[in-house]
Amino acid sequence: MDSAEFIVSSARLGELYECSALLRRTRIRAEEIVDEARRMLGEAQRHGNPDHVLAFSAQLDEARAAYCKILQAYVTLCRTINEERQAIIRAQVERDRAAISIDQGVA
């Protein structure tokens, strides 16, 4: 990996970290929404309101489905970040080995 590729990879990794931070905040907010939907469903059940129970049950299902999609995206992004980091590290190790080989050959 030459220095231009390294710069591009490092910039990409930085962008991936920014996306990760945004998805992490989105995931936390989605958890809060699921908790709120669960709380509202519980209240409707305690009050014995079948119309609200049905509506809040559907909302809870939607909130859970959305949370699962967000969580799946977050996990995928974390894997991508890990793979990108590993590629950068491998390239650095290879570059260092090549430099050592050159230094030892000259000495």
Side-chain angles (χ1 to χ4, degrees):
M1 175 181 289
D2 63 23
S3 58
E5 289 174 324
F6 179 75
I7 291 169
V8 170
S9 292
S10 295
R12 176 174 159 72
L13 189 57
E15 290 171 353
L16 289 172
Y17 275 118
E18 288 176 22
C19 290
S20 172
L22 178 61
L23 263 177
R24 186 174 29 260
R25 289 190 300 271
T26 304
R27 180 183 52 83
I28 290 168
R29 181 63 185 127
E31 287 175 8
E32 293 169 352
I33 291 169
V34 167
D35 289 343
E36 180 66 15
R38 188 179 295 120
R39 186 190 63 73
M40 292 172 68
L41 175 59
E43 279 184 28
Q45 289 170 333
R46 281 189 295 281
H47 288 74
N49 188 330
D51 291 335
H52 284 139
V53 168
L54 188 60
F56 291 140
S57 180
Q59 288 177 4
L60 178 58
D61 289 343
E62 286 178 36
R64 284 180 177 155
Y67 174 76
C68 286
K69 287 179 183 178
I70 292 166
L71 187 59
Q72 198 169 22
Y74 183 70
V75 168
T76 300
L77 185 59
C78 288
R79 282 188 191 129
T80 302
I81 287 170
N82 190 42
E83 290 168 3
E84 191 81 20
R85 267 193 349 236
Q86 287 178 351
I88 290 171
I89 291 169
R90 275 192 302 272
Q92 287 174 329
V93 167
E94 288 172 13
R95 191 179 64 220
D96 291 346
R97 282 183 183 158
I100 290 170
S101 295
I102 291 170
D103 289 345
Q104 289 176 348
V106 172

PDB file of all heavy atoms in Angstrom, residues 71-92:
ATOM      1  N   LEU A  71     -30.081  -2.163  14.023  1.00  0.00           N
ATOM      2  CA  LEU A  71     -29.059  -2.995  14.669  1.00  0.00           C
ATOM      3  C   LEU A  71     -28.271  -3.793  13.634  1.00  0.00           C
ATOM      4  O   LEU A  71     -27.038  -3.889  13.709  1.00  0.00           O
ATOM      5  CB  LEU A  71     -29.713  -3.927  15.691  1.00  0.00           C
ATOM      6  CG  LEU A  71     -28.772  -4.733  16.569  1.00  0.00           C
ATOM      7  CD1 LEU A  71     -27.852  -3.813  17.371  1.00  0.00           C
ATOM      8  CD2 LEU A  71     -29.575  -5.620  17.508  1.00  0.00           C
ATOM      9  N   GLN A  72     -28.953  -4.318  12.649  1.00  0.00           N
ATOM     10  CA  GLN A  72     -28.292  -5.078  11.594  1.00  0.00           C
ATOM     11  C   GLN A  72     -27.325  -4.175  10.812  1.00  0.00           C
ATOM     12  O   GLN A  72     -26.198  -4.572  10.512  1.00  0.00           O
ATOM     13  CB  GLN A  72     -29.342  -5.667  10.664  1.00  0.00           C
ATOM     14  CG  GLN A  72     -28.867  -6.787   9.802  1.00  0.00           C
ATOM     15  CD  GLN A  72     -30.042  -7.470   9.110  1.00  0.00           C
ATOM     16  OE1 GLN A  72     -31.118  -6.904   8.936  1.00  0.00           O
ATOM     17  NE2 GLN A  72     -29.835  -8.703   8.692  1.00  0.00           N
ATOM     18  N   ALA A  73     -27.748  -2.965  10.506  1.00  0.00           N
ATOM     19  CA  ALA A  73     -26.882  -2.019   9.796  1.00  0.00           C
ATOM     20  C   ALA A  73     -25.672  -1.666  10.651  1.00  0.00           C
ATOM     21  O   ALA A  73     -24.545  -1.567  10.146  1.00  0.00           O
ATOM     22  CB  ALA A  73     -27.663  -0.761   9.428  1.00  0.00           C
ATOM     23  N   TYR A  74     -25.895  -1.475  11.941  1.00  0.00           N
ATOM     24  CA  TYR A  74     -24.801  -1.133  12.854  1.00  0.00           C
ATOM     25  C   TYR A  74     -23.773  -2.262  12.927  1.00  0.00           C
ATOM     26  O   TYR A  74     -22.565  -2.018  12.851  1.00  0.00           O
ATOM     27  CB  TYR A  74     -25.375  -0.825  14.242  1.00  0.00           C
ATOM     28  CG  TYR A  74     -24.345  -0.393  15.245  1.00  0.00           C
ATOM     29  CD1 TYR A  74     -23.726   0.843  15.145  1.00  0.00           C
ATOM     30  CD2 TYR A  74     -23.994  -1.217  16.300  1.00  0.00           C
ATOM     31  CE1 TYR A  74     -22.776   1.243  16.066  1.00  0.00           C
ATOM     32  CE2 TYR A  74     -23.050  -0.825  17.226  1.00  0.00           C
ATOM     33  CZ  TYR A  74     -22.445   0.404  17.109  1.00  0.00           C
ATOM     34  OH  TYR A  74     -21.499   0.788  18.019  1.00  0.00           O
ATOM     35  N   VAL A  75     -24.234  -3.486  13.040  1.00  0.00           N
ATOM     36  CA  VAL A  75     -23.331  -4.635  13.107  1.00  0.00           C
ATOM     37  C   VAL A  75     -22.548  -4.764  11.796  1.00  0.00           C
ATOM     38  O   VAL A  75     -21.334  -4.995  11.806  1.00  0.00           O
ATOM     39  CB  VAL A  75     -24.117  -5.933  13.419  1.00  0.00           C
ATOM     40  CG1 VAL A  75     -23.266  -7.167  13.198  1.00  0.00           C
ATOM     41  CG2 VAL A  75     -24.641  -5.893  14.849  1.00  0.00           C
ATOM     42  N   THR A  76     -23.230  -4.598  10.676  1.00  0.00           N
ATOM     43  CA  THR A  76     -22.561  -4.655   9.370  1.00  0.00           C
ATOM     44  C   THR A  76     -21.489  -3.580   9.259  1.00  0.00           C
ATOM     45  O   THR A  76     -20.368  -3.845   8.804  1.00  0.00           O
ATOM     46  CB  THR A  76     -23.585  -4.510   8.231  1.00  0.00           C
ATOM     47  OG1 THR A  76     -24.542  -5.571   8.322  1.00  0.00           O
ATOM     48  CG2 THR A  76     -22.921  -4.525   6.870  1.00  0.00           C
ATOM     49  N   LEU A  77     -21.800  -2.385   9.694  1.00  0.00           N
ATOM     50  CA  LEU A  77     -20.839  -1.287   9.639  1.00  0.00           C
ATOM     51  C   LEU A  77     -19.647  -1.557  10.555  1.00  0.00           C
ATOM     52  O   LEU A  77     -18.499  -1.309  10.176  1.00  0.00           O
ATOM     53  CB  LEU A  77     -21.505   0.034  10.007  1.00  0.00           C
ATOM     54  CG  LEU A  77     -20.637   1.279   9.886  1.00  0.00           C
ATOM     55  CD1 LEU A  77     -20.118   1.450   8.464  1.00  0.00           C
ATOM     56  CD2 LEU A  77     -21.421   2.504  10.311  1.00  0.00           C
ATOM     57  N   CYS A  78     -19.898  -2.093  11.729  1.00  0.00           N
ATOM     58  CA  CYS A  78     -18.797  -2.426  12.638  1.00  0.00           C
ATOM     59  C   CYS A  78     -17.878  -3.475  12.023  1.00  0.00           C
ATOM     60  O   CYS A  78     -16.650  -3.386  12.148  1.00  0.00           O
ATOM     61  CB  CYS A  78     -19.340  -2.901  13.986  1.00  0.00           C
ATOM     62  SG  CYS A  78     -20.056  -1.585  14.977  1.00  0.00           S
ATOM     63  N   ARG A  79     -18.456  -4.454  11.344  1.00  0.00           N
ATOM     64  CA  ARG A  79     -17.638  -5.464  10.655  1.00  0.00           C
ATOM     65  C   ARG A  79     -16.784  -4.817   9.563  1.00  0.00           C
ATOM     66  O   ARG A  79     -15.614  -5.142   9.399  1.00  0.00           O
ATOM     67  CB  ARG A  79     -18.520  -6.542  10.034  1.00  0.00           C
ATOM     68  CG  ARG A  79     -19.017  -7.550  11.007  1.00  0.00           C
ATOM     69  CD  ARG A  79     -19.721  -8.693  10.293  1.00  0.00           C
ATOM     70  NE  ARG A  79     -20.405  -9.512  11.263  1.00  0.00           N
ATOM     71  CZ  ARG A  79     -21.674  -9.869  11.197  1.00  0.00           C
ATOM     72  NH1 ARG A  79     -22.404  -9.506  10.164  1.00  0.00           N
ATOM     73  NH2 ARG A  79     -22.224 -10.600  12.123  1.00  0.00           N
ATOM     74  N   THR A  80     -17.395  -3.917   8.808  1.00  0.00           N
ATOM     75  CA  THR A  80     -16.674  -3.224   7.740  1.00  0.00           C
ATOM     76  C   THR A  80     -15.520  -2.408   8.306  1.00  0.00           C
ATOM     77  O   THR A  80     -14.418  -2.414   7.749  1.00  0.00           O
ATOM     78  CB  THR A  80     -17.634  -2.320   6.942  1.00  0.00           C
ATOM     79  OG1 THR A  80     -18.690  -3.122   6.410  1.00  0.00           O
ATOM     80  CG2 THR A  80     -16.922  -1.606   5.814  1.00  0.00           C
ATOM     81  N   ILE A  81     -15.763  -1.723   9.402  1.00  0.00           N
ATOM     82  CA  ILE A  81     -14.710  -0.944  10.051  1.00  0.00           C
ATOM     83  C   ILE A  81     -13.574  -1.868  10.475  1.00  0.00           C
ATOM     84  O   ILE A  81     -12.395  -1.568  10.248  1.00  0.00           O
ATOM     85  CB  ILE A  81     -15.268  -0.165  11.266  1.00  0.00           C
ATOM     86  CG1 ILE A  81     -16.130   1.001  10.788  1.00  0.00           C
ATOM     87  CG2 ILE A  81     -14.145   0.325  12.172  1.00  0.00           C
ATOM     88  CD1 ILE A  81     -16.914   1.693  11.889  1.00  0.00           C
ATOM     89  N   ASN A  82     -13.905  -2.988  11.068  1.00  0.00           N
ATOM     90  CA  ASN A  82     -12.888  -3.942  11.512  1.00  0.00           C
ATOM     91  C   ASN A  82     -12.071  -4.462  10.326  1.00  0.00           C
ATOM     92  O   ASN A  82     -10.843  -4.541  10.393  1.00  0.00           O
ATOM     93  CB  ASN A  82     -13.533  -5.095  12.272  1.00  0.00           C
ATOM     94  CG  ASN A  82     -12.525  -5.970  12.954  1.00  0.00           C
ATOM     95  OD1 ASN A  82     -11.561  -5.485  13.541  1.00  0.00           O
ATOM     96  ND2 ASN A  82     -12.738  -7.268  12.877  1.00  0.00           N
ATOM     97  N   GLU A  83     -12.743  -4.812   9.249  1.00  0.00           N
ATOM     98  CA  GLU A  83     -12.044  -5.302   8.057  1.00  0.00           C
ATOM     99  C   GLU A  83     -11.124  -4.222   7.484  1.00  0.00           C
ATOM    100  O   GLU A  83      -9.994  -4.513   7.080  1.00  0.00           O
ATOM    101  CB  GLU A  83     -13.054  -5.748   7.010  1.00  0.00           C
ATOM    102  CG  GLU A  83     -13.799  -7.011   7.387  1.00  0.00           C
ATOM    103  CD  GLU A  83     -14.995  -7.284   6.496  1.00  0.00           C
ATOM    104  OE1 GLU A  83     -15.236  -6.513   5.529  1.00  0.00           O
ATOM    105  OE2 GLU A  83     -15.712  -8.276   6.769  1.00  0.00           O
ATOM    106  N   GLU A  84     -11.607  -2.997   7.439  1.00  0.00           N
ATOM    107  CA  GLU A  84     -10.796  -1.883   6.908  1.00  0.00           C
ATOM    108  C   GLU A  84      -9.567  -1.648   7.791  1.00  0.00           C
ATOM    109  O   GLU A  84      -8.466  -1.456   7.286  1.00  0.00           O
ATOM    110  CB  GLU A  84     -11.665  -0.623   6.844  1.00  0.00           C
ATOM    111  CG  GLU A  84     -11.042   0.508   6.081  1.00  0.00           C
ATOM    112  CD  GLU A  84     -11.210   0.380   4.576  1.00  0.00           C
ATOM    113  OE1 GLU A  84     -12.097  -0.358   4.112  1.00  0.00           O
ATOM    114  OE2 GLU A  84     -10.425   1.026   3.863  1.00  0.00           O
ATOM    115  N   ARG A  85      -9.758  -1.672   9.087  1.00  0.00           N
ATOM    116  CA  ARG A  85      -8.625  -1.504  10.009  1.00  0.00           C
ATOM    117  C   ARG A  85      -7.601  -2.612   9.837  1.00  0.00           C
ATOM    118  O   ARG A  85      -6.394  -2.369   9.815  1.00  0.00           O
ATOM    119  CB  ARG A  85      -9.123  -1.494  11.462  1.00  0.00           C
ATOM    120  CG  ARG A  85      -9.401  -0.144  12.006  1.00  0.00           C
ATOM    121  CD  ARG A  85      -9.578  -0.117  13.512  1.00  0.00           C
ATOM    122  NE  ARG A  85      -9.708  -1.395  14.165  1.00  0.00           N
ATOM    123  CZ  ARG A  85     -10.709  -1.765  14.942  1.00  0.00           C
ATOM    124  NH1 ARG A  85     -11.682  -0.936  15.173  1.00  0.00           N
ATOM    125  NH2 ARG A  85     -10.734  -2.952  15.505  1.00  0.00           N
ATOM    126  N   GLN A  86      -8.089  -3.840   9.724  1.00  0.00           N
ATOM    127  CA  GLN A  86      -7.177  -4.968   9.545  1.00  0.00           C
ATOM    128  C   GLN A  86      -6.396  -4.845   8.241  1.00  0.00           C
ATOM    129  O   GLN A  86      -5.203  -5.157   8.203  1.00  0.00           O
ATOM    130  CB  GLN A  86      -7.951  -6.284   9.586  1.00  0.00           C
ATOM    131  CG  GLN A  86      -8.424  -6.652  10.968  1.00  0.00           C
ATOM    132  CD  GLN A  86      -9.230  -7.938  10.985  1.00  0.00           C
ATOM    133  OE1 GLN A  86      -9.574  -8.486   9.942  1.00  0.00           O
ATOM    134  NE2 GLN A  86      -9.540  -8.417  12.180  1.00  0.00           N
ATOM    135  N   ALA A  87      -7.033  -4.380   7.176  1.00  0.00           N
ATOM    136  CA  ALA A  87      -6.344  -4.207   5.895  1.00  0.00           C
ATOM    137  C   ALA A  87      -5.249  -3.153   6.012  1.00  0.00           C
ATOM    138  O   ALA A  87      -4.142  -3.335   5.485  1.00  0.00           O
ATOM    139  CB  ALA A  87      -7.343  -3.820   4.804  1.00  0.00           C
ATOM    140  N   ILE A  88      -5.537  -2.076   6.718  1.00  0.00           N
ATOM    141  CA  ILE A  88      -4.537  -1.020   6.918  1.00  0.00           C
ATOM    142  C   ILE A  88      -3.362  -1.558   7.730  1.00  0.00           C
ATOM    143  O   ILE A  88      -2.200  -1.330   7.390  1.00  0.00           O
ATOM    144  CB  ILE A  88      -5.171   0.217   7.590  1.00  0.00           C
ATOM    145  CG1 ILE A  88      -6.117   0.926   6.608  1.00  0.00           C
ATOM    146  CG2 ILE A  88      -4.101   1.181   8.094  1.00  0.00           C
ATOM    147  CD1 ILE A  88      -6.956   2.026   7.244  1.00  0.00           C
ATOM    148  N   ILE A  89      -3.662  -2.290   8.781  1.00  0.00           N
ATOM    149  CA  ILE A  89      -2.597  -2.846   9.634  1.00  0.00           C
ATOM    150  C   ILE A  89      -1.750  -3.835   8.845  1.00  0.00           C
ATOM    151  O   ILE A  89      -0.512  -3.805   8.923  1.00  0.00           O
ATOM    152  CB  ILE A  89      -3.195  -3.489  10.907  1.00  0.00           C
ATOM    153  CG1 ILE A  89      -3.762  -2.400  11.822  1.00  0.00           C
ATOM    154  CG2 ILE A  89      -2.146  -4.322  11.631  1.00  0.00           C
ATOM    155  CD1 ILE A  89      -4.596  -2.932  12.971  1.00  0.00           C
ATOM    156  N   ARG A  90      -2.403  -4.712   8.073  1.00  0.00           N
ATOM    157  CA  ARG A  90      -1.642  -5.669   7.259  1.00  0.00           C
ATOM    158  C   ARG A  90      -0.716  -4.943   6.287  1.00  0.00           C
ATOM    159  O   ARG A  90       0.448  -5.322   6.117  1.00  0.00           O
ATOM    160  CB  ARG A  90      -2.590  -6.583   6.480  1.00  0.00           C
ATOM    161  CG  ARG A  90      -3.080  -7.779   7.257  1.00  0.00           C
ATOM    162  CD  ARG A  90      -3.766  -8.794   6.355  1.00  0.00           C
ATOM    163  NE  ARG A  90      -4.894  -8.249   5.615  1.00  0.00           N
ATOM    164  CZ  ARG A  90      -6.150  -8.204   6.068  1.00  0.00           C
ATOM    165  NH1 ARG A  90      -6.429  -8.669   7.270  1.00  0.00           N
ATOM    166  NH2 ARG A  90      -7.114  -7.710   5.327  1.00  0.00           N
ATOM    167  N   ALA A  91      -1.226  -3.894   5.654  1.00  0.00           N
ATOM    168  CA  ALA A  91      -0.417  -3.137   4.699  1.00  0.00           C
ATOM    169  C   ALA A  91       0.762  -2.466   5.394  1.00  0.00           C
ATOM    170  O   ALA A  91       1.874  -2.439   4.859  1.00  0.00           O
ATOM    171  CB  ALA A  91      -1.283  -2.101   3.986  1.00  0.00           C
ATOM    172  N   GLN A  92       0.525  -1.942   6.598  1.00  0.00           N
ATOM    173  CA  GLN A  92       1.622  -1.315   7.343  1.00  0.00           C
ATOM    174  C   GLN A  92       2.684  -2.339   7.729  1.00  0.00           C
ATOM    175  O   GLN A  92       3.878  -2.065   7.634  1.00  0.00           O
ATOM    176  CB  GLN A  92       1.087  -0.614   8.594  1.00  0.00           C
ATOM    177  CG  GLN A  92       0.332   0.651   8.294  1.00  0.00           C
ATOM    178  CD  GLN A  92      -0.311   1.257   9.538  1.00  0.00           C
ATOM    179  OE1 GLN A  92      -0.689   0.537  10.465  1.00  0.00           O
ATOM    180  NE2 GLN A  92      -0.435   2.569   9.555  1.00  0.00           N
TER     181      GLN A  92
END
